[in-house]
Amino acid sequence: MSCLITMSQKELNRLETVQKIKDGRLSVVQAAESLRLSRSQMHRLLQAYERDGALGLVSRKRGQPSNRRHSDEFRNAVLDLIRTRYHDFGPTLAREKLIELHQMAVGKETLRQWMTEAGIWTSRRERKQRIYQPRGRRDCLGELVQIDGSHHWWFEERGPKCALLVYIDDATGKLLHLRFAPSENTFDYLQATKAYLEEWGKPIAFYSDKHGVFRSTHASEKDRTSGLTQFGRALYELNIDIICANTPQAKGRVERANRTLQDRLVKELRLRDISTLDDANAFAPAFMADFNRRFGKEPRNPKDMHRSLAEHENLDGAMCRKEVRTLSQSLTLRYDKVIFILDPTDYAKTLARQKVIVCDYPDGRLEIMHEGITLPYRTFDTLRSVHRSQVVENKRLDDILSVVAEMQAGRERERSRSGPRHTGQKDHMFGIRDGATANGYQKRGRKPGRRTDFMNDPAVIAKREQALKRQPAAES
């Protein structure tokens, strides 16, 4: 009676060796050496083969439970604990918590098998991919405009990597505005949106991702405007909604347009040998016209939903960064480590301890306003060092200012970390990180090791004492 025998490769090698011994082609000693077994073990294999045939060489442990396996009671206790407390944990994290909190040691892969057999865990391969059903286009032009930034090597090796800000209409698939920028930042989006609104008017809503320019993670439940970003606040002032998509697939129209642009636009820029942002922005209108002619669709409804600006809406005043500051009694305020001193006009004198709005524009202008009135001011940059060439002739102050210059050399010169980032803003007053460089000093590199405490430096203290001793003589 024939039967099917399952053997491992190791067992097949033993069967072949035993048959060679039976045929007289190998001795028992040679066979034991080839299989790396002892002579007695080789004789036991021969006896098993003579008694049961090839079946005698098969391991009797096959198909039997392991002697090291966990008991059924332990397995059930672990699974019950996972169901009640760790039902949404993965096998790796669940194993860590079982060891840390319950002193129940079990292998990661063993636990994975248990959770899979119990239906608690599903491997990533077996998980069903989320289905994204297509959404129909909007009916009218300007009803919904999708915006996104695409970081890419647009100039290939001819220029730096940059971002392309894309505005595409959902109803027609037409490109409404393109702007090349160093990165996705608030000021570049404000400039691009301002240019778009000047050309087309106000759409009903913008559709974007959850980039930090569009969505704040620190929203307030009490005040709607307090949870808006600067870009969202600008749109709110102009009565334009912004909708943030949860997934890239939700705004697939602009994502697919980015993929097309990364192919066609890159080659068009190469053919024209364009390698700068300004030249690329100048070429963008011609490219958009050709793109829309080839790929644009007619809307189902010919009505244009773009709206014109209302009389009370100020486009230039909305498209800027606004922050509220409280004036001090001396008519001063601080913004990004710069002290703004208001001119003491009759109107400004009435604003002490009142709130004003600092308007920081993308083109570098900065205005301080109160109820729509612009307040004149002058500035004092706290990061600038003393300009020594203006006072070097005054012998009484020269040594004191040399001490001050030494102290300033050890200060940390950078803008406020919580203040605005001026990426994308042109010709602003905050561009000089080191005031001493602007005033003619050579910037001193920081020495290795711990920083020097200039207030307790013996050399500085000696200079200070010498300067104080010369003060009475200079005054007399």
Side-chain angles (χ1 to χ4, degrees), residues 190-205:
L190 290 175
Q191 293 185 72
T193 305
K194 180 181 177 182
Y196 168 82
L197 297 178
E198 289 175 343
E199 181 179 0
W200 294 94
K202 300 188 304 179
I204 300 299

Side-chain angles (χ1 to χ4, degrees), residues 166-227:
V166 181
Y167 293 65
I168 186 170
D169 181 62
D170 187 81
T172 63
K174 294 182 178 180
L175 296 176
L176 302 183
H177 189 72
L178 293 178
R179 177 180 175 83
F180 289 89
S183 64
E184 284 189 90
N185 57 81
T186 300
F187 284 113
D188 275 312
Y189 266 112
L190 290 175
Q191 293 185 72
T193 305
K194 180 181 177 182
Y196 168 82
L197 297 178
E198 289 175 343
E199 181 179 0
W200 294 94
K202 300 188 304 179
I204 300 299
F206 284 116
Y207 198 38
S208 69
D209 55 16
K210 293 183 178 180
H211 192 277
V213 174
F214 311 115
R215 180 175 179 267
S216 174
T217 57
H218 306 286
S220 172
E221 297 180 357
K222 297 181 180 180
D223 183 8
R224 177 186 175 188
T225 59
S226 64

Side-chain angles (χ1 to χ4, degrees), residues 325-342:
R325 292 290 188 271
T326 301
L327 281 179
S328 67
Q329 196 67 36
S330 56
L331 302 181
T332 63
L333 60 91
R334 183 183 290 264
Y335 177 74
D336 202 9
K337 292 189 177 181
V338 175
I339 298 177
F340 293 84
I341 307 170
L342 298 187

Side-chain angles (χ1 to χ4, degrees), residues 74-99 102 104 106-108 110-116 118-121:
F74 179 79
R75 178 179 183 272
N76 294 334
V78 169
L79 292 178
D80 291 341
L81 189 60
I82 292 177
R83 287 192 185 97
T84 55
R85 299 189 59 179
Y86 311 115
H87 62 91
D88 57 344
F89 282 41
T92 303
L93 182 58
R95 174 181 176 271
E96 294 174 1
K97 296 306 175 185
L98 288 174
I99 296 175
H102 307 282
M104 302 175 71
V106 61
K108 180 179 65 175
T110 301
L111 184 60
R112 188 188 305 277
Q113 294 178 6
W114 290 357
M115 294 175 64
T116 302
I120 303 174
W121 173 257

